């Protein structure tokens, strides 16, 4: 459902982009590696991720914009034993069974970038920083029991990357970013940390290369 909404928004923005200038839209596929507390809960890399980005250029070397994405981390443990406490009950229950662990996260950030070259070069490397919030859902399923908690977290994400123009309207995007989100709900939502690699397509606004 989240991916469908993001794709729908991407299609709308892509259809509008030829009407504007000095702007670009990115649609990226992402692979994310969990770090820290998230890795303790789901230690496998996520191959289910994407984001869309909008950037407005301020001259040759700077742009500002925004990004919204979606990533899901998953891990299953066969015949695992754990201690659990349920809402409204102070007792601790030991349950053995197959565990299915999920972390869904939707970052929404303002993004600023600095480009090391101008628009006359074949490759444009950049450094950027995103700041905003992310919605994170942590879910554990074991047998007939499910534990789910979701909260908003403050987040930031420094990034490096490059884009390679193919013509005046299209370019390829390659990037890597470190994402961090603060703890929420008294630590029940842990610090979010991940390393994300992106590859995607850029559509230049107004049929011009920037």
């Amino acid at each position: 459902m989240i991916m469908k909404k993001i794709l729908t928004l991407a299609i709308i923005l892509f259809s509008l982009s030829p009407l504007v200038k000095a702007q670009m839209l990115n649609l990226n596929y992402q692979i994310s590696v969990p770090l820290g507390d998230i890795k303790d809960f789901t230690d496998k890399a996520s191959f289910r991720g994407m984001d869309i980005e909008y950037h407005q250029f301020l001259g040759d070397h700077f742009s500002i914009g925004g990004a919204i994405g979606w990533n899901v981390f998953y891990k299953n443990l066969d015949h695992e034993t754990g201690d659990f406490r349920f809402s409204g009950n102070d007792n601790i229950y030991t349950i053995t069974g197959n565990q299915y662990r999920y972390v869904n996260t939707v970052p929404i950030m303002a993004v600023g970038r600095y480009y090391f070259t101008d628009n006359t070069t074949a490759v444009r490397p950049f450094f950027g920083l995103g700041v905003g919030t992310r919605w994170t859902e942590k879910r554990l399923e074991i047998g007939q029991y499910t534990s789910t908690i979701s909260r908003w977290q403050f987040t930031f994400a420094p990034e490096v990357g490059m884009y390679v123009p193919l013509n005046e309207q299209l370019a390829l995007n390659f990037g890597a970013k470190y994402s961090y989100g603060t703890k929420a709900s008294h630590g029940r939502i842990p610090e979010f940390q991940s390393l994300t690699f992106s590859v995607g397509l850029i559509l230049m606004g107004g049929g011009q290369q920037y």
Side-chain angles (χ1 to χ4, degrees), residues 174-188:
F174 304 92
K177 71 175 66 175
Y178 165 77
S179 297
Y180 177 85
T182 57
K183 290 182 180 180
S185 187
H186 305 288
R188 293 175 66 195

Side-chain angles (χ1 to χ4, degrees), residues 9-163:
L9 180 59
I11 292 171
I12 294 172
L13 292 175
F14 269 62
S15 67
L16 293 175
S17 67
L19 303 177
V20 296
K21 296 181 178 181
Q23 303 180 43
M24 66 181 185
L25 294 169
N26 301 15
L27 177 60
N28 298 309
Y29 168 71
Q30 298 181 328
I31 298 174
S32 295
V33 179
L35 304 171
D37 293 338
I38 295 296
K39 183 179 180 180
D40 293 339
F41 186 70
T42 55
D43 60 0
K44 294 182 178 179
S46 167
F47 292 87
R48 290 182 284 178
M50 64 173 294
D51 79 346
I52 58 173
E53 304 174 5
Y54 164 84
H55 298 274
Q56 168 71 57
F57 279 88
L58 306 175
D60 287 336
H61 295 281
F62 293 94
S63 70
I64 58 173
I68 179 171
W70 172 73
N71 296 95
V72 57
F73 299 89
Y74 166 77
K75 179 181 181 179
N76 71 288
L77 297 172
D78 296 330
H79 202 69
E80 186 78 4
T81 299
D83 294 330
F84 300 91
R85 178 176 290 151
F86 298 96
S87 178
N89 192 328
D90 292 333
N91 297 327
I92 297 177
Y93 299 87
T94 300
I95 301 175
T96 299
N98 295 335
Q99 291 188 13
Y100 301 93
R101 301 180 176 187
Y102 302 87
V103 174
N104 281 275
T105 184
V106 179
I108 304 172
M109 291 184 287
V111 181
R113 284 181 177 173
Y114 173 78
Y115 300 84
F116 294 96
T117 62
D118 62 23
N119 59 13
T120 63
T121 59
V123 177
R124 299 200 66 186
F126 61 81
F127 168 80
L129 177 65
V131 179
T133 186
R134 71 172 58 241
W135 175 84
T136 301
E137 179 190 79
K138 179 183 176 184
R139 186 166 85 250
L140 171 65
E141 298 177 1
I142 178 169
Q144 62 180 325
Y145 302 103
T146 301
S147 173
T148 303
I149 183 171
S150 59
R151 291 291 188 277
W152 290 98
Q153 300 171 278
F154 170 76
T155 191
F156 66 87
E159 62 173 351
V160 294
M162 64 179 180
Y163 78 80

